[in-house]
Amino acid sequence: MDVADLVAAARHCIVFTGAGISAESGVPTFRGAGGLWERYRPEELATPEAFARDPELVWRWYRWRQELVYRAGPNPGHRAVAELEAIGVVKAVITQNVDGLHQRAGSRNVVELHGSLWRARCVECGAVYRLDKPVEEAPPRCPRCGGLLRPDVVWFGEPLPRDAWERAVELASRSDVVLVVGTSGVVYPAAYIPRIAKDHGAVLVEVNVEESAITPIADFFLRGRSGEVLPRLVEEVKKGLGTRRS
Ligand code: BJW
Ligand code: ZN
């Protein structure tokens, strides 16, 4: 059975994504050539300690990323994932990304494991604010209490949002096919998600330009850019569905 037949026949297919799926939108990945951390050290920017030390520097980095994503848009990879959900094949997208591009492409059931660039949270009173555009001041202040706002994302050493994690584990445990797209698979606990699915019997299909920490447990490896591989896969899946239904 080839991958398209497998996906077309799946009863509970989910997609697990990382920064690679947004690369073709012009959003840099974290690791590897051109990655965000070639120029910035993670421990300087994506930790609570970094924020405590220099909130302005951390916010300038996040504002730069917000501006980049604001100007960018979903690419054919995001749209292919949304289409697989629209035709009833994919049940949910579990993403480590904070850019909101899956939702902008039309995906409806998206679990964000690492928070969102488009929310800020007050470190004093805990109020959460939705952002519809990049912040103007860095660091921004809480309109309610004047406290410092922080990006509502998950930094190193912080726990993942409990509801998102529980939904992801439940989806992974019930899945029969997981498309693992554009992630290095080195950041935990997120990287447990494909492993949990595999332990519960799911078939893993990886899409990546290079091998990752997930590749040794993947059943299929589709090498290439997700913006090219996924639209092709969708066309094949649709053909498969047509044949099965006729
Ligand atoms: C393409 C492509 C194209 C390119 N098409 N593909 C177990 C073992 C070891 C360590 C730990 C462990 N458990 C916990 C840890 C510590 C730590 C951790 O994982 N460290 C490792 C790095 C060693 N984890 C944590 O600290 C986590 N918290 C935690 O454990 O809390 C414990 C706790 C419990 C209770 C109370 C208190 C504490 C939190 C981790 C948070 C990670 N946050 C970040 C930043 C988010 C905000 C932001 O964006 O600014 O999340 S780090 C960064 O990495 C970001 C990403 O979501 C995440 C994953 O990266 P991703 O998506 O895989 O990107 P890349 O760049 O790594 O890979 C891109 C891939 O795409 C590559 O494979 C390319 O080949 C590919 N690609 N172009 C297809 N066109
Ligand atoms: Zn506040």
Side-chain angles (χ1 to χ4, degrees):
M1 189 184 250
D2 77 2
V3 172
D5 291 338
L6 187 81
V7 173
R11 301 175 64 85
H12 195 272
C13 175
I14 61 169
V15 187
F16 177 71
T17 64
I21 196 166
S22 295
E24 289 153 85
S25 294
V27 181
T29 60
F30 289 90
R31 299 164 188 84
L36 276 174
W37 291 348
E38 228 175 15
R39 282 168 289 159
Y40 306 95
R41 283 154 48 84
E43 57 276 22
E44 278 169 20
L45 295 163
T47 67
E49 294 75 22
F51 187 71
R53 199 165 50 235
D54 195 343
E56 190 189 329
L57 174 73
V58 172
W59 263 114
R60 286 212 314 267
W61 188 55
Y62 278 94
R63 184 172 60 187
W64 171 72
R65 290 173 57 201
Q66 285 176 334
E67 280 165 356
L68 200 90
V69 172
Y70 192 67
R71 286 195 301 267
N75 66 55
H78 297 107
R79 284 195 284 273
V81 170
E83 190 172 357
L84 286 175
E85 186 182 348
I87 62 177
V89 169
V90 158
K91 305 300 178 207
V93 180
I94 301 170
T95 189
Q96 300 164 84
N97 299 347
V98 298
D99 55 31
L101 290 175
H102 281 300
Q103 293 91 331
R104 278 167 68 186
S107 286
R108 299 172 73 89
N109 193 12
V110 182
V111 179
E112 293 180 319
L113 290 178
H114 290 161
S116 173
L117 275 182
W118 304 109
R119 285 192 309 266
R121 189 170 86 226
C122 178
V123 299
E124 301 295 336
C125 74
V128 175
Y129 298 95
R130 291 200 163 278
L131 307 171
D132 54 10
K133 56 179 178 14
V135 295
E136 277 160 26
E137 42 166 1
R141 293 268 166 191
C142 177
R144 246 172 259 178
C145 78
L148 205 53
L149 295 183
R150 59 162 282 178
D152 195 16
V153 299
V154 183
W155 286 326
F156 281 112
E158 294 185 322
L160 273 52
R162 184 198 284 260
D163 58 335
W165 177 249
E166 286 176 353
R167 277 176 66 204
V169 170
E170 152 81 10
L171 286 162
S173 313
R174 289 199 326 198
S175 64
D176 52 0
V177 177
V178 184
L179 302 178
V180 180
V181 184
T183 179
S184 58
V186 297
V187 174
Y188 285 86
Y192 285 128
I193 292 298
R195 291 179 168 81
I196 290 169
K198 177 99 185 174
D199 288 348
H200 284 77
V203 175
L204 303 190
V205 178
E206 182 175 27
V207 178
N208 203 310
V209 290
E210 57 184 44
E211 294 187 2
S212 75
I214 308 288
T215 313
I217 61 159
D219 299 283
F220 296 89
F221 182 77
L222 306 181
R223 187 184 297 272
R225 295 175 173 198
S226 46
E228 293 165 7
V229 173
L230 290 174
R232 274 205 307 269
L233 180 65
V234 172
E235 288 315 309
E236 294 291 311
V237 168
K238 287 202 291 200
K239 275 189 223 152
L241 287 175
T243 324
R244 285 199 308 136
R245 279 177 189 155
S246 56

